[in-house]
Each structure stands twice: as structure tokens, then as C-alpha cells.
Amino acid sequence: MTKAVILGTGSCLPERALSNADMERMVETSDEWITSRTGIRNRRIAGPGEQNYQLATKAARRALAVTGIKPEELDLIVVATISSHMIMPSTACFVQAELGAANAFAYDISAACAGFTYGLDLASNYIQNRPEMKILVIGAETLSARINWEDRNTCVLFGDGAGAVIVAGANDGRGVFGSNLRADGKLWNLLCMDSPESCNPDLRQEDWQGAFIRMNGGDIFKHAVRSMEDSVTSLLRQHDLTIDDIDLMIPHQANIRILNNLRERLGIPEERVFVNLSQYGNTSAASIPIALDEAHRQGRMARGDIVLLCTFGGGLTWGSLLLRW
Ligand code: UT7
């Protein structure tokens, strides 16, 4: 049976790094607080020439270069993002133009930090129907533009970046073989970001707080651990696997305490969980594809390995996905 295989990965991070020491000069915080509560030490912040679509395009070029596939061979470009530089056109259309991927249709999806995993599942479903397709899936964010830099509860957590994968059909046992994706819109206000004022006809000017990320960190923390554990456990059960069958878990990189909690509940040893959060912070939809690219370049996955992705984010959205590398 044809499955969606990742043929190549790529990523792109902005040049400028903002350390915890830099954060200490901006808000009332400390390196000790940030490191011990989150595990984050640095984050990258986009500057001129590093728009969301430009980071996305560079990540895509790197992924294409690995595969030898030419932009004009792509059939579809999906960009998972919640920080496009324009509402219309989509970031995917800008990437399509930059790459010269003349034969690809292109659109964005919005599922916050879960966006890339949703996108990979989407690509896998396209491949079931049209196994000849070549699909570029990207997670790209420039959330630094949507952060209130005076709010210490959020500004220390997030960073910018992009990661990309090239997906195509194969019949050799590799590829995506299961997913468990979930959402609960009733919990939308635990983690949200307003649209520009003009998009909300019900908005009372005095209620306007700016189009910034707002979050109830404690509730998100608890939900993240429980929901990812539930999703992974049911996905493994559905495929007659146990956590011992997983060669590498690549979780959404939000907080080291969330990851340690999840790891302990699932019973997976530290060396089988990929973590790069200390350098980039939470890059939302970009976090898993950046981690996937780094894990790939570090030789952390061998052909035939079972890789588990798991994620959660605003929406709320969450889920997990299994693939044989
Ligand atoms: O992709 C999904 C995105 N969201 C997340 O992943 C967030 C998940 N949640 C978390 O990561 C954690 O809840 C946080 C890191 C946001 C907060 O950690 P916490 O251990 O849950 O701290 P807390 O919210 O209980 O806050 C403890 C104290 C508060 O002070 P008071 O009220 O006890 O006096 C905060 O005001 O820490 C204070 N605080 C800070 N202090 C220094 C909050 N942010 C900071 C800060 N520096 N940056």
C-alpha cells in the first residue's frame, strides 16, 4: 500500500538570537526563572528580509536540495502558520512564487502549534488518493510580531523559524501509518491571539488589547500533558504498538517540564526523545519540522525506525502521528 514518505527535510532560523540575559533587560524576569520553569535559554527573532514566507522558502529550498526534486515538480504546497505577514494571499502562495513552483496549488492551514502535524496528516491523505503527488509541507512562524514584549508571561516563551518536508508516495513499508488528531474549540480562550481590530465588528474599542498572544499558562500546561498522553496512548493501542516500539519521539517544543512530565507518563527514556527547545523556544507550527530536520541531520533516525510526533496548541488543537522513517 502506498504511504506518504518524507524524502527530505530543511529548516531556517533567523540570524538574531535573543538570550535570557537580553530578556532580563526587557522585562522583570531572570535567566534562572526562565531556564528552570521552561528550559529555554535562547530564541531567534526575525529581522529585515526574514519575513515568514522568506524563512519558509529557505527551509523549503533546503528540503528540495536534499531530494533533488525541482520546484516545478511539486503538486501542492501547504504552510501551517498563525503569523502570516498578510491575511491574503496565503504564505503558501508567496512560497510558491518564490520557489517558481508553477505546477503546485497552495494554501495555508491554521492549527497553531499543531499545524505541521495536521499538515503532514493532510499530505498523507492526499497521497492515498493520488500516490504520484509531490507535496511540500512547511511549518513557519514569525510570532515575535504578535507578542506583547511587555508581558513577561508570554514574551520569554516564543521564537521565530521555519521547517519543511518534501512528501511523496512509496510502497516499501516506510511512511505515515497512523494519526490521532483532536481539537476542542470550547477551550479557545486558554491560548489565543486577536485578529486586527477591523476584522471584528463586535469589538468595543475599550476592550481592544492589541493583536497579541494571550495565554493561561497553567491550564495549558495541564491540558498539554494530559492530551498528548491520551493521544499517544490511543494511537499506539490502535496500531498494536507499545512505547518501547518507538525509536524516536519528536514532540512540540514548548516547555521542558511539559516534555519531562509527558516522558515520565509514557515511560519513554530521555535518549529516545528529541529536544532542541533551549536554543529556539516555542516556534509554534515550526517547532516539529525544525526538530525533525535537526534530528535527521544528526543521524537520529535510521531507515525503518518508528518515529512518533506529538503536539498541542491553541484551538485547542492536539494530536500525534506515527511514521516509519
Ligand atoms: O504551544 C503552547 C504554548 N503555551 C505553552 O506551552 C505554555 C504552557 N505553560 C507553561 O509553559 C508554564 O505554565 C509557564 C512557563 C507559562 C509558567 O510557568 P508556571 O510554573 O506555570 O508559572 P506560573 O504561571 O504559576 O507563575 C508563577 C509566577 C507568577 O508570579 P506570582 O503570581 O506567583 O507572583 C508569575 O507572574 O511566575 C511569574 N512569572 C514570571 N516570573 C519571572 C510569569 N512569567 C515570568 C517570567 N519571569 N518570565
Side-chain angles (χ1 to χ4, degrees), residues 28-50:
E28 199 182 326
T29 191
S30 65
D31 175 43
E32 196 283 319
W33 192 97
I34 304 171
T35 309
S36 62
R37 300 289 181 114
T38 72
I40 299 165
R41 291 178 187 278
N42 281 294
R43 63 290 287 147
R44 299 293 185 89
I45 304 296
E50 294 177 328

Side-chain angles (χ1 to χ4, degrees), residues 209-224:
Q209 296 175 42
F212 300 128
I213 289 181
R214 287 182 280 128
M215 180 178 73
N216 177 333
D219 282 355
I220 287 285
F221 190 111
K222 283 180 238 151
H223 190 278

Side-chain angles (χ1 to χ4, degrees), residues 65-295:
V66 172
T67 64
I69 290 172
K70 297 187 181 64
E72 54 274 25
E73 292 177 68
L74 292 171
D75 299 290
L76 167 62
I77 299 171
V78 177
V79 179
T81 188
I82 50 165
S83 51
S84 308
H85 76 299
M86 293 179 79
I87 289 177
M88 181 183 74
S90 66
T91 295
C93 282
F94 280 96
V95 172
Q96 189 246 12
E98 290 286 306
L99 290 177
N103 299 308
F105 63 109
Y107 59 89
D108 290 355
I109 57 173
S110 168
C113 307
F116 176 79
T117 309
Y118 272 41
L120 191 54
D121 180 68
L122 192 84
S124 167
N125 282 294
Y126 271 108
I127 297 284
Q128 305 296 316
N129 275 339
R130 288 176 50 196
E132 75 287 357
M133 280 182 87
K134 292 189 175 41
I135 304 175
L136 168 60
V137 184
I138 302 173
E141 302 286 12
T142 44
L143 279 175
S144 59
R146 309 299 305 276
I147 280 164
N148 177 355
W149 288 99
E150 293 175 359
D151 175 14
R152 68 176 182 175
N153 291 291
T154 51
C155 73
V156 301
L157 303 175
F158 296 95
D160 300 333
V165 298
I166 309 293
V167 176
N171 286 301
D172 54 10
R174 292 180 301 150
V176 176
F177 64 92
S179 65
N180 175 294
L181 302 183
R182 306 291 308 279
D184 186 351
K186 290 201 206 80
L187 300 176
W188 69 270
N189 59 355
L190 293 184
L191 178 54
C192 55
M193 186 163 73
D194 285 316
S195 57
E197 297 161 89
S198 54
C199 292
N200 183 351
D202 291 335
L203 184 78
R204 293 177 340 142
Q205 201 55 43
E206 56 272 32
D207 294 334
W208 175 244
Q209 296 175 42
F212 300 128
I213 289 181
R214 287 182 280 128
M215 180 178 73
N216 177 333
D219 282 355
I220 287 285
F221 190 111
K222 283 180 238 151
H223 190 278
V225 175
R226 278 193 226 119
S227 61
M228 285 196 287
E229 183 195 8
D230 284 354
S231 173
V232 168
T233 309
S234 43
L235 183 61
L236 291 176
R237 199 181 308 120
Q238 197 187 331
H239 291 275
D240 264 338
L241 295 171
T242 72
I243 200 71
D244 297 334
D245 296 309
I246 302 303
D247 295 294
L248 189 67
M249 175 164 112
I250 303 188
H252 171 48
Q253 312 280 315
N255 182 317
I256 195 67
R257 286 158 53 226
I258 292 178
L259 299 189
N260 286 340
N261 252 284
L262 178 66
R263 202 167 49 67
E264 280 160 25
R265 283 167 176 248
L266 291 173
I268 183 164
E270 215 172 337
E271 61 274 15
R272 286 199 270 130
V273 180
F274 190 84
V275 180
N276 64 358
L277 143 103
S278 67
Q279 289 313 304
Y280 310 130
N282 181 346
T283 57
S284 183
S287 96
I288 288 184
I290 292 170
L292 198 55
D293 181 46
E294 292 198 347

